[in-house]
Amino acid sequence: MKLVVAILQPFALNKVQNALLKLSCFPGMTVVPVRGFGQGKGCDAPDFEAEIVDFTDKVRVEVAAPDDAVDAVVEAIV
């Protein structure tokens, strides 16, 4: 059993859910609202208070998949 974790934009959740539901080996998923940032929005300056970073809303999708279904689950999410 492996835990597959993906952080998504909220608008992509329905598309990912539909792709996962098409799998015969899909056991279910957990969705948690999260906030974060990335893609170069971190602070490069030595003074970390110099730049304020805005967090964006995301969703964290967790799927506990059997070992033989991990590749199919990852492909469906991607």
Side-chain angles (χ1 to χ4, degrees):
M1 191 68 89
K2 302 274 193 241
L3 182 64
V4 179
V5 178
I7 306 294
L8 309 172
Q9 295 289 345
F11 66 84
L13 181 59
N14 285 340
K15 187 174 181 180
V16 169
Q17 180 181 4
N18 289 334
L20 288 169
L21 287 172
K22 291 179 183 176
L23 299 177
S24 61
C25 58
F26 177 59
M29 67 183 188
T30 301
V31 178
V32 182
V34 296
R35 296 179 45 142
F37 64 88
Q39 297 296 318
K41 294 199 179 182
C43 182
D44 293 335
D47 180 12
F48 290 109
E49 294 180 12
E51 183 177 340
I52 297 175
V53 177
D54 290 330
F55 292 99
T56 57
D57 293 331
K58 312 265 186 179
V59 291
R60 176 181 167 123
V61 175
E62 300 174 350
V63 178
D67 290 338
D68 59 340
V70 170
D71 291 336
V73 168
V74 170
E75 184 65 29
I77 292 172
V78 171

PDB file of all heavy atoms in Angstrom, residues 2-8 16 20 28-32 34 59-65 70 73-74 77-78:
ATOM      1  N   LYS A   2       0.570   2.191  -0.852  1.00  0.00           N
ATOM      2  CA  LYS A   2       1.315   3.448  -0.954  1.00  0.00           C
ATOM      3  C   LYS A   2       0.336   4.601  -0.797  1.00  0.00           C
ATOM      4  O   LYS A   2      -0.817   4.511  -1.210  1.00  0.00           O
ATOM      5  CB  LYS A   2       2.004   3.578  -2.306  1.00  0.00           C
ATOM      6  CG  LYS A   2       2.960   2.465  -2.634  1.00  0.00           C
ATOM      7  CD  LYS A   2       4.315   2.739  -2.057  1.00  0.00           C
ATOM      8  CE  LYS A   2       5.306   1.780  -2.676  1.00  0.00           C
ATOM      9  NZ  LYS A   2       5.947   0.924  -1.770  1.00  0.00           N
ATOM     10  N   LEU A   3       0.807   5.703  -0.238  1.00  0.00           N
ATOM     11  CA  LEU A   3       0.013   6.914  -0.132  1.00  0.00           C
ATOM     12  C   LEU A   3       0.457   7.873  -1.220  1.00  0.00           C
ATOM     13  O   LEU A   3       1.605   8.316  -1.245  1.00  0.00           O
ATOM     14  CB  LEU A   3       0.183   7.558   1.246  1.00  0.00           C
ATOM     15  CG  LEU A   3      -0.632   8.823   1.491  1.00  0.00           C
ATOM     16  CD1 LEU A   3      -2.126   8.510   1.444  1.00  0.00           C
ATOM     17  CD2 LEU A   3      -0.262   9.442   2.826  1.00  0.00           C
ATOM     18  N   VAL A   4      -0.451   8.186  -2.130  1.00  0.00           N
ATOM     19  CA  VAL A   4      -0.180   9.131  -3.208  1.00  0.00           C
ATOM     20  C   VAL A   4      -0.771  10.466  -2.777  1.00  0.00           C
ATOM     21  O   VAL A   4      -1.956  10.548  -2.439  1.00  0.00           O
ATOM     22  CB  VAL A   4      -0.806   8.665  -4.542  1.00  0.00           C
ATOM     23  CG1 VAL A   4      -0.540   9.669  -5.643  1.00  0.00           C
ATOM     24  CG2 VAL A   4      -0.278   7.285  -4.919  1.00  0.00           C
ATOM     25  N   VAL A   5       0.053  11.524  -2.775  1.00  0.00           N
ATOM     26  CA  VAL A   5      -0.375  12.851  -2.349  1.00  0.00           C
ATOM     27  C   VAL A   5      -0.164  13.823  -3.495  1.00  0.00           C
ATOM     28  O   VAL A   5       0.894  13.824  -4.127  1.00  0.00           O
ATOM     29  CB  VAL A   5       0.425  13.315  -1.104  1.00  0.00           C
ATOM     30  CG1 VAL A   5       0.024  14.715  -0.698  1.00  0.00           C
ATOM     31  CG2 VAL A   5       0.230  12.348   0.049  1.00  0.00           C
ATOM     32  N   ALA A   6      -1.181  14.651  -3.750  1.00  0.00           N
ATOM     33  CA  ALA A   6      -1.077  15.672  -4.792  1.00  0.00           C
ATOM     34  C   ALA A   6      -1.674  16.966  -4.264  1.00  0.00           C
ATOM     35  O   ALA A   6      -2.687  16.951  -3.569  1.00  0.00           O
ATOM     36  CB  ALA A   6      -1.816  15.233  -6.050  1.00  0.00           C
ATOM     37  N   ILE A   7      -1.027  18.088  -4.577  1.00  0.00           N
ATOM     38  CA  ILE A   7      -1.541  19.414  -4.246  1.00  0.00           C
ATOM     39  C   ILE A   7      -2.062  20.022  -5.547  1.00  0.00           C
ATOM     40  O   ILE A   7      -1.318  20.134  -6.520  1.00  0.00           O
ATOM     41  CB  ILE A   7      -0.449  20.315  -3.633  1.00  0.00           C
ATOM     42  CG1 ILE A   7       0.222  19.635  -2.438  1.00  0.00           C
ATOM     43  CG2 ILE A   7      -1.022  21.676  -3.269  1.00  0.00           C
ATOM     44  CD1 ILE A   7      -0.670  19.414  -1.252  1.00  0.00           C
ATOM     45  N   LEU A   8      -3.337  20.403  -5.557  1.00  0.00           N
ATOM     46  CA  LEU A   8      -3.986  20.863  -6.781  1.00  0.00           C
ATOM     47  C   LEU A   8      -4.612  22.236  -6.599  1.00  0.00           C
ATOM     48  O   LEU A   8      -4.945  22.626  -5.479  1.00  0.00           O
ATOM     49  CB  LEU A   8      -5.119  19.905  -7.172  1.00  0.00           C
ATOM     50  CG  LEU A   8      -4.838  18.422  -7.255  1.00  0.00           C
ATOM     51  CD1 LEU A   8      -6.144  17.677  -7.452  1.00  0.00           C
ATOM     52  CD2 LEU A   8      -3.886  18.139  -8.392  1.00  0.00           C
ATOM     53  N   VAL A  16      -9.821  15.671 -11.675  1.00  0.00           N
ATOM     54  CA  VAL A  16      -9.021  14.594 -11.083  1.00  0.00           C
ATOM     55  C   VAL A  16      -9.934  13.532 -10.470  1.00  0.00           C
ATOM     56  O   VAL A  16      -9.711  12.331 -10.634  1.00  0.00           O
ATOM     57  CB  VAL A  16      -8.038  15.157 -10.032  1.00  0.00           C
ATOM     58  CG1 VAL A  16      -7.395  14.050  -9.229  1.00  0.00           C
ATOM     59  CG2 VAL A  16      -6.980  16.007 -10.716  1.00  0.00           C
ATOM     60  N   LEU A  20     -10.076   9.574 -11.491  1.00  0.00           N
ATOM     61  CA  LEU A  20      -9.839   8.503 -10.515  1.00  0.00           C
ATOM     62  C   LEU A  20     -11.024   7.546 -10.431  1.00  0.00           C
ATOM     63  O   LEU A  20     -10.849   6.340 -10.257  1.00  0.00           O
ATOM     64  CB  LEU A  20      -9.541   9.098  -9.140  1.00  0.00           C
ATOM     65  CG  LEU A  20      -8.176   9.776  -8.993  1.00  0.00           C
ATOM     66  CD1 LEU A  20      -8.099  10.547  -7.687  1.00  0.00           C
ATOM     67  CD2 LEU A  20      -7.051   8.761  -9.080  1.00  0.00           C
ATOM     68  N   GLY A  28     -10.692   5.103  -3.011  1.00  0.00           N
ATOM     69  CA  GLY A  28     -11.274   6.299  -2.413  1.00  0.00           C
ATOM     70  C   GLY A  28     -10.192   7.340  -2.218  1.00  0.00           C
ATOM     71  O   GLY A  28      -9.013   7.093  -2.483  1.00  0.00           O
ATOM     72  N   MET A  29     -10.594   8.526  -1.741  1.00  0.00           N
ATOM     73  CA  MET A  29      -9.597   9.572  -1.557  1.00  0.00           C
ATOM     74  C   MET A  29     -10.018  10.491  -0.418  1.00  0.00           C
ATOM     75  O   MET A  29     -11.176  10.546  -0.028  1.00  0.00           O
ATOM     76  CB  MET A  29      -9.401  10.380  -2.831  1.00  0.00           C
ATOM     77  CG  MET A  29     -10.561  11.201  -3.264  1.00  0.00           C
ATOM     78  SD  MET A  29     -10.170  12.008  -4.831  1.00  0.00           S
ATOM     79  CE  MET A  29     -11.559  13.071  -5.007  1.00  0.00           C
ATOM     80  N   THR A  30      -9.045  11.224   0.086  1.00  0.00           N
ATOM     81  CA  THR A  30      -9.264  12.236   1.102  1.00  0.00           C
ATOM     82  C   THR A  30      -8.851  13.568   0.504  1.00  0.00           C
ATOM     83  O   THR A  30      -7.807  13.671  -0.141  1.00  0.00           O
ATOM     84  CB  THR A  30      -8.411  11.957   2.352  1.00  0.00           C
ATOM     85  OG1 THR A  30      -8.757  10.663   2.855  1.00  0.00           O
ATOM     86  CG2 THR A  30      -8.634  12.994   3.424  1.00  0.00           C
ATOM     87  N   VAL A  31      -9.675  14.601   0.708  1.00  0.00           N
ATOM     88  CA  VAL A  31      -9.384  15.933   0.186  1.00  0.00           C
ATOM     89  C   VAL A  31      -9.363  16.906   1.357  1.00  0.00           C
ATOM     90  O   VAL A  31     -10.295  16.936   2.159  1.00  0.00           O
ATOM     91  CB  VAL A  31     -10.437  16.371  -0.851  1.00  0.00           C
ATOM     92  CG1 VAL A  31     -10.157  17.778  -1.349  1.00  0.00           C
ATOM     93  CG2 VAL A  31     -10.474  15.389  -2.007  1.00  0.00           C
ATOM     94  N   VAL A  32      -8.267  17.678   1.448  1.00  0.00           N
ATOM     95  CA  VAL A  32      -8.089  18.622   2.537  1.00  0.00           C
ATOM     96  C   VAL A  32      -7.768  19.995   1.954  1.00  0.00           C
ATOM     97  O   VAL A  32      -6.875  20.102   1.111  1.00  0.00           O
ATOM     98  CB  VAL A  32      -6.918  18.172   3.460  1.00  0.00           C
ATOM     99  CG1 VAL A  32      -6.750  19.115   4.619  1.00  0.00           C
ATOM    100  CG2 VAL A  32      -7.120  16.752   3.933  1.00  0.00           C
ATOM    101  N   VAL A  34      -5.895  23.368   1.755  1.00  0.00           N
ATOM    102  CA  VAL A  34      -4.594  23.846   2.240  1.00  0.00           C
ATOM    103  C   VAL A  34      -4.301  25.199   1.607  1.00  0.00           C
ATOM    104  O   VAL A  34      -4.961  25.616   0.664  1.00  0.00           O
ATOM    105  CB  VAL A  34      -3.446  22.850   1.928  1.00  0.00           C
ATOM    106  CG1 VAL A  34      -3.637  21.548   2.659  1.00  0.00           C
ATOM    107  CG2 VAL A  34      -3.318  22.598   0.446  1.00  0.00           C
ATOM    108  N   VAL A  59      -5.947  22.456  -2.774  1.00  0.00           N
ATOM    109  CA  VAL A  59      -6.494  21.262  -2.139  1.00  0.00           C
ATOM    110  C   VAL A  59      -5.440  20.167  -2.175  1.00  0.00           C
ATOM    111  O   VAL A  59      -4.688  20.035  -3.141  1.00  0.00           O
ATOM    112  CB  VAL A  59      -7.802  20.775  -2.811  1.00  0.00           C
ATOM    113  CG1 VAL A  59      -8.934  21.730  -2.553  1.00  0.00           C
ATOM    114  CG2 VAL A  59      -7.627  20.544  -4.272  1.00  0.00           C
ATOM    115  N   ARG A  60      -5.375  19.415  -1.099  1.00  0.00           N
ATOM    116  CA  ARG A  60      -4.453  18.277  -1.001  1.00  0.00           C
ATOM    117  C   ARG A  60      -5.289  17.015  -1.163  1.00  0.00           C
ATOM    118  O   ARG A  60      -6.249  16.797  -0.419  1.00  0.00           O
ATOM    119  CB  ARG A  60      -3.753  18.285   0.355  1.00  0.00           C
ATOM    120  CG  ARG A  60      -2.843  17.098   0.585  1.00  0.00           C
ATOM    121  CD  ARG A  60      -2.222  17.190   1.966  1.00  0.00           C
ATOM    122  NE  ARG A  60      -1.599  15.949   2.339  1.00  0.00           N
ATOM    123  CZ  ARG A  60      -0.332  15.813   2.689  1.00  0.00           C
ATOM    124  NH1 ARG A  60       0.437  16.886   2.740  1.00  0.00           N
ATOM    125  NH2 ARG A  60       0.157  14.653   3.007  1.00  0.00           N
ATOM    126  N   VAL A  61      -4.929  16.212  -2.140  1.00  0.00           N
ATOM    127  CA  VAL A  61      -5.633  14.961  -2.421  1.00  0.00           C
ATOM    128  C   VAL A  61      -4.728  13.817  -1.987  1.00  0.00           C
ATOM    129  O   VAL A  61      -3.558  13.765  -2.368  1.00  0.00           O
ATOM    130  CB  VAL A  61      -5.975  14.840  -3.925  1.00  0.00           C
ATOM    131  CG1 VAL A  61      -6.599  13.504  -4.233  1.00  0.00           C
ATOM    132  CG2 VAL A  61      -6.880  15.979  -4.352  1.00  0.00           C
ATOM    133  N   GLU A  62      -5.287  12.919  -1.187  1.00  0.00           N
ATOM    134  CA  GLU A  62      -4.535  11.752  -0.712  1.00  0.00           C
ATOM    135  C   GLU A  62      -5.277  10.492  -1.135  1.00  0.00           C
ATOM    136  O   GLU A  62      -6.485  10.375  -0.918  1.00  0.00           O
ATOM    137  CB  GLU A  62      -4.405  11.774   0.809  1.00  0.00           C
ATOM    138  CG  GLU A  62      -3.682  12.988   1.335  1.00  0.00           C
ATOM    139  CD  GLU A  62      -3.674  13.070   2.846  1.00  0.00           C
ATOM    140  OE1 GLU A  62      -4.388  12.281   3.501  1.00  0.00           O
ATOM    141  OE2 GLU A  62      -2.956  13.923   3.379  1.00  0.00           O
ATOM    142  N   VAL A  63      -4.547   9.569  -1.743  1.00  0.00           N
ATOM    143  CA  VAL A  63      -5.122   8.299  -2.172  1.00  0.00           C
ATOM    144  C   VAL A  63      -4.224   7.186  -1.651  1.00  0.00           C
ATOM    145  O   VAL A  63      -3.035   7.141  -1.973  1.00  0.00           O
ATOM    146  CB  VAL A  63      -5.223   8.205  -3.716  1.00  0.00           C
ATOM    147  CG1 VAL A  63      -5.780   6.856  -4.138  1.00  0.00           C
ATOM    148  CG2 VAL A  63      -6.057   9.340  -4.270  1.00  0.00           C
ATOM    149  N   ALA A  64      -4.770   6.299  -0.828  1.00  0.00           N
ATOM    150  CA  ALA A  64      -4.043   5.116  -0.376  1.00  0.00           C
ATOM    151  C   ALA A  64      -4.325   4.017  -1.399  1.00  0.00           C
ATOM    152  O   ALA A  64      -5.438   3.493  -1.461  1.00  0.00           O
ATOM    153  CB  ALA A  64      -4.490   4.698   1.017  1.00  0.00           C
ATOM    154  N   ALA A  65      -3.328   3.715  -2.203  1.00  0.00           N
ATOM    155  CA  ALA A  65      -3.524   2.783  -3.322  1.00  0.00           C
ATOM    156  C   ALA A  65      -2.709   1.514  -3.114  1.00  0.00           C
ATOM    157  O   ALA A  65      -1.602   1.565  -2.571  1.00  0.00           O
ATOM    158  CB  ALA A  65      -3.102   3.452  -4.629  1.00  0.00           C
ATOM    159  N   VAL A  70      -0.553   1.976  -8.059  1.00  0.00           N
ATOM    160  CA  VAL A  70       0.044   3.308  -7.852  1.00  0.00           C
ATOM    161  C   VAL A  70       0.264   4.023  -9.186  1.00  0.00           C
ATOM    162  O   VAL A  70      -0.072   5.212  -9.316  1.00  0.00           O
ATOM    163  CB  VAL A  70       1.355   3.190  -7.048  1.00  0.00           C
ATOM    164  CG1 VAL A  70       2.103   4.512  -7.033  1.00  0.00           C
ATOM    165  CG2 VAL A  70       1.068   2.733  -5.638  1.00  0.00           C
ATOM    166  N   VAL A  73      -2.996   5.349 -10.571  1.00  0.00           N
ATOM    167  CA  VAL A  73      -3.502   6.471  -9.789  1.00  0.00           C
ATOM    168  C   VAL A  73      -2.723   7.745 -10.116  1.00  0.00           C
ATOM    169  O   VAL A  73      -3.306   8.815 -10.341  1.00  0.00           O
ATOM    170  CB  VAL A  73      -3.434   6.155  -8.275  1.00  0.00           C
ATOM    171  CG1 VAL A  73      -3.685   7.400  -7.440  1.00  0.00           C
ATOM    172  CG2 VAL A  73      -4.438   5.073  -7.919  1.00  0.00           C
ATOM    173  N   VAL A  74      -1.412   7.648 -10.174  1.00  0.00           N
ATOM    174  CA  VAL A  74      -0.584   8.817 -10.502  1.00  0.00           C
ATOM    175  C   VAL A  74      -0.910   9.317 -11.914  1.00  0.00           C
ATOM    176  O   VAL A  74      -1.049  10.522 -12.133  1.00  0.00           O
ATOM    177  CB  VAL A  74       0.920   8.484 -10.368  1.00  0.00           C
ATOM    178  CG1 VAL A  74       1.789   9.581 -10.932  1.00  0.00           C
ATOM    179  CG2 VAL A  74       1.264   8.210  -8.912  1.00  0.00           C
ATOM    180  N   ILE A  77      -4.143  11.237 -11.920  1.00  0.00           N
ATOM    181  CA  ILE A  77      -4.004  12.563 -11.318  1.00  0.00           C
ATOM    182  C   ILE A  77      -3.303  13.522 -12.270  1.00  0.00           C
ATOM    183  O   ILE A  77      -3.711  14.661 -12.430  1.00  0.00           O
ATOM    184  CB  ILE A  77      -3.263  12.475  -9.972  1.00  0.00           C
ATOM    185  CG1 ILE A  77      -4.136  11.749  -8.950  1.00  0.00           C
ATOM    186  CG2 ILE A  77      -2.890  13.862  -9.458  1.00  0.00           C
ATOM    187  CD1 ILE A  77      -3.427  11.427  -7.642  1.00  0.00           C
ATOM    188  N   VAL A  78      -2.264  13.050 -12.920  1.00  0.00           N
ATOM    189  CA  VAL A  78      -1.513  13.901 -13.853  1.00  0.00           C
ATOM    190  C   VAL A  78      -2.372  14.224 -15.048  1.00  0.00           C
ATOM    191  O   VAL A  78      -2.443  15.334 -15.518  1.00  0.00           O
ATOM    192  CB  VAL A  78      -0.209  13.206 -14.288  1.00  0.00           C
ATOM    193  CG1 VAL A  78       0.473  13.969 -15.404  1.00  0.00           C
ATOM    194  CG2 VAL A  78       0.715  13.054 -13.115  1.00  0.00           C
TER     195      VAL A  78
END
